Amino acid sequence: MINIGCHLSLSKGYHAMGKEAVKINANTFQFFTRNPRGGSGKEIVQEDADALAECIKQHAFAPILAHAPYTLNLCSANPDTRKFAREMMADDLKRLDKLPCSLYNFHPGSHTGQGVETGIRQIVEALNMVLCAEQTTFVLLETMAGKGSEIGCSFEELRQILDGVELEEKMGVCFDTCHVYDAGYDIVDHLEDVLEEFDRIVGLNRLKAVHLNDSMHPMGSHKDRHAKIGEGTIGLEAIIRIVTHSALKHLPFLLETPNEVDGYEKEIALLREYCKES
Ligand code: FE
Ligand code: FE
Ligand code: ZN
């Protein structure tokens, strides 16, 4: 059985997301730790967190994924933005320790004109300030499409960040299929080669989650526009090959396709049907 779920809203609380996931036949889900544009984090009511933990255990969920707000930028040219991003991440990680949530994903950052080298150095410095040996959560770098000055659109850049982090054992990677394809990796016709390259440079042991999205634009376009499953340039067949690949099929797959919950429910049913044997 594959582990599949989708992005859900935290607005009604933590247990509510678990219940919603169960209702749409998901066994994992992703949520933003706070308003996507930043803002303050939602205080965690212990009862609510415990109820989610119970729900996850009862329904044998795969790891669930918390996503940092996408405005969080550890390598902005603006030092105040960098400081704010570090504080937000530290606060998120502190709160996540109370949740049955073992994965925290973030966009490495945009260097906003400073250059890739400086950007990577700032990301590494920030992670070394924020990570602590006691935390129970893995921090995942998301593979990026390379829009604007985004860092993390090549496996080499991800490796450079991992190499700089003192607590590398707390780090992992989230593989976003739309982003990787937009970044120029041919996961449609050469999936085997791409995964081999990922393993050689980053290490498949660092891979903790997959964002499962089709793409609206062709390979290498650096556009980052997600499409519904089977309606984009990646296509259903290639997506099935990804979900059933022996190196990936144990991972949690999270849909971030342009859908409301009923659309996600349909995509989950479709993928479960195609991947029954895996
Ligand atoms: Fe993301
Ligand atoms: Fe993503
Ligand atoms: Zn995206």
Side-chain angles (χ1 to χ4, degrees):
M1 195 185 80
I2 57 165
N3 301 308
I4 186 153
C6 61
H7 194 89
L8 294 174
S9 163
L10 173 56
S11 60
K12 290 189 209 124
Y14 293 96
H15 187 203
M17 291 190 290
K19 285 192 280 196
E20 185 150 47
V22 170
K23 212 163 73 189
I24 60 173
N25 203 16
N27 65 333
T28 178
F29 63 90
Q30 169 178 275
F31 63 97
F32 281 125
T33 53
R34 56 185 83 210
N35 179 305
R37 269 177 264 113
S40 63
K42 199 179 172 78
E43 248 346 286
I44 294 177
V45 180
Q46 195 59 49
E47 273 169 30
D48 190 25
D50 292 345
L52 174 63
E54 185 53 39
C55 173
I56 279 171
K57 213 169 83 187
Q58 196 188 337
H59 297 279
F61 270 39
I64 58 175
L65 184 56
H67 195 311
Y70 49 70
T71 47
L72 181 144
N73 188 1
L74 296 176
C75 62
S76 166
N78 181 338
D80 293 333
T81 306
R82 294 203 298 274
K83 181 165 178 282
F84 182 61
R86 291 195 299 269
E87 288 168 357
M88 220 161 24
M89 185 180 270
D91 183 59
D92 276 353
L93 288 174
K94 208 168 71 202
R95 274 178 302 112
L96 286 174
D97 269 343
K98 294 189 194 158
L99 284 170
C101 188
S102 52
L103 305 172
Y104 177 67
N105 171 70
F106 78 106
H107 297 177
S110 294
H111 64 69
T112 62
Q114 305 185 93
V116 173
E117 212 176 304
T118 302
I120 288 177
R121 184 172 46 76
Q122 289 173 344
I123 294 165
V124 165
E125 280 169 7
L127 288 167
N128 283 335
M129 281 189 245
V130 170
L131 297 191
C132 65
E134 297 77 37
Q135 72 183 56
T136 54
T137 308
F138 279 108
V139 175
L140 310 188
L141 303 166
E142 181 167 349
T143 59
M144 300 310 292
K147 195 175 47 157
S149 64
E150 271 174 1
I151 289 178
C153 61
S154 75
F155 300 158
E156 285 82 0
E157 288 176 9
L158 298 175
R159 175 35 63 198
Q160 283 179 49
I161 297 169
L162 294 172
D163 278 343
V165 176
E166 286 152 23
L167 293 169
E168 196 194 332
E169 70 274 15
K170 301 285 179 194
M171 297 291 298
V173 172
C174 174
F175 190 100
D176 186 309
T177 54
C178 168
H179 297 177
V180 168
Y181 195 56
D182 274 17
Y185 292 99
D186 190 358
I187 53 173
V188 174
D189 290 321
H190 297 279
L191 177 64
E192 218 51 62
D193 296 340
V194 173
L195 291 177
E196 192 274 327
E197 189 176 342
F198 184 92
D199 191 32
R200 184 164 38 83
I201 298 166
V202 177
L204 280 167
N205 61 330
R206 288 273 165 248
L207 190 54
K208 304 292 180 197
V210 175
H211 281 165
L212 195 64
N213 303 307
D214 213 325
S215 173
M216 284 193 187
H217 292 280
M219 184 175 82
S221 60
H222 306 295
K223 289 274 208 268
D224 191 3
R225 291 285 305 281
H226 303 187
K228 293 182 184 180
I229 298 300
E231 294 185 11
T233 52
I234 298 176
L236 184 60
E237 278 180 35
I239 286 172
I240 302 292
R241 283 196 293 274
I242 291 165
V243 176
T244 56
H245 193 282
S246 60
L248 307 175
K249 64 181 185 186
H250 61 286
L251 295 167
F253 292 94
L254 289 316
L255 298 161
E256 301 176 310
T257 45
N259 276 307
E260 300 297 324
V261 174
D262 58 333
Y264 284 134
E265 185 174 14
K266 287 195 190 106
E267 290 188 346
I268 290 168
L270 174 82
L271 289 162
R272 286 210 186 281
E273 180 57 30
Y274 273 101
C275 305
K276 261 196 300 215
E277 259 80 80
S278 301

